[in-house]
Amino acid sequence: MHLKKRVLVTGGAGFLGSHLCERLLDEGNDVICVDNFYTGSKRNIVHLIDNPYFELIRHDITFPLYVEVDEIYNMACPASPIHYQNDPVQTTKVNVHGSINMLGLAKRIKARILQASTSEVYGDPSVHPQPENYLGNVNCIGPRSCYDEGKRCAETLFFDYHRQHRLKIKVARIFNTYGPRMHPNDGRVVSNFIMQALRGEPITIYGDGSQTRSFCYADDLVDGLIRLMNSPDEITGPVNLGNPVEFTILELAELVIKLVNSKSRIIFSSLPQDDPRQRKPDISLAGNILKWEPAIKLEDGLKKTIEYFNGIRTKYV
Ligand SMILES: NC(=O)c1ccc[n+]([C@@H]2O[C@H](COP(=O)([O-])OP(=O)(O)OC[C@H]3O[C@@H](n4cnc5c(N)ncnc54)[C@H](O)[C@@H]3O)[C@@H](O)[C@H]2O)c1
């Protein structure tokens, strides 16, 4: 018999959080979504509001919260550079104070807790692809540090609560993920290219487009998070979750133009100094311990994402 679990999702009105809430409800759980709508939106969860097993709480997790749940997914944190650099002090706060509040809650109510960490903990890596035991190369005083170091400190807190208070923790290091409900103006390559193609504007590639990236579809990522949460207690992570299949930026632009059937042309601009040549996760650990690997092809995921952006374009953007 499936036992209904009570699950708290912080950042549940965001891109990934909303997909996670949906999937947890589909699996028969009771879901509490907590969000302060900094980058998230009611639009992302409006279809869940009438579900009697879904509750929405407007709350900033840098302040304490008390609810009774069995599991906590800590997803709250702006994820794209333009959003997390907008208020960098708040970005560090949500990672440090927010994590302390959620870990304190998990300790009091004896809940399992999962942290949405990031590939950015590896910084500007000198090892490709990055396995979980690579310690990273992070600048602690740059404009990205609020996010990178904030997430690193959150991981430290998770592991100290685990060692000191025997908390049941799970740490997922998420790599570049895309899909419907991404913020259309978040400045990331997938949303940029799709919006430019839908508007028929030129698609801007920095450099010659031969740099590679890998893209994980949201449903695959959510599947990995749930497998990690459901894994035996001794599996704490950190575990990389992402799609290792690489595409050049030029291939991505051409594919988006084809799928949108757009008249956009590609233009080239000079490469920013910190643009990495390659970003690719090593997911062998997730394969071994979670039996997880992404299943959705870029073309299929892009079609669904394009359909979403096309739907909201006229209404909200
Ligand atoms: N999308 C990716 O490619 C990616 C990659 C690596 C890590 N992650 C991590 O996954 C998580 C979700 O990312 P996303 O892409 O869905 O981003 P998102 O910005 O869409 O979602 C973050 C959510 O957290 C909420 N939030 C922010 N500060 C809050 C606060 N103080 N209190 C309550 N809610 C708050 C926002 O309003 C938003 O709904 C983040 O922690 C992010 O760092 C995402």
Side-chain angles (χ1 to χ4, degrees), residues 14-16 35-36 38-40 60-61 75 147 151 174 177:
F15 158 49
L16 290 176
D35 208 296
N36 68 350
Y38 181 59
T39 49
D60 179 335
I61 64 153
M75 310 294 290
Y147 185 74
K151 289 283 185 183
I174 302 171
T177 303

Side-chain angles (χ1 to χ4, degrees), residues 27-100:
E27 290 186 353
N29 301 295
D30 227 312
V31 175
I32 301 176
C33 163
V34 164
D35 208 296
N36 68 350
F37 301 110
Y38 181 59
T39 49
S41 158
K42 286 189 185 158
R43 189 169 76 231
N44 291 340
I45 44 158
V46 71
H47 59 296
L48 307 177
I49 295 287
D50 287 338
N51 187 324
Y53 299 108
F54 180 76
E55 284 168 71
L56 172 64
I57 303 176
R58 182 190 282 264
H59 177 79
D60 179 335
I61 64 153
T62 61
F63 297 95
L65 173 76
Y66 190 85
V67 287
E68 290 278 351
V69 290
D70 306 301
E71 293 177 350
I72 303 171
Y73 287 84
N74 190 32
M75 310 294 290
C77 178
S80 70
I82 53 168
H83 289 140
Y84 69 64
Q85 288 172 5
N86 182 47
D87 186 351
V89 173
Q90 176 66 13
T91 300
T92 303
K93 265 192 189 169
V94 70
N95 282 305
V96 178
H97 295 201
S99 293
I100 289 173

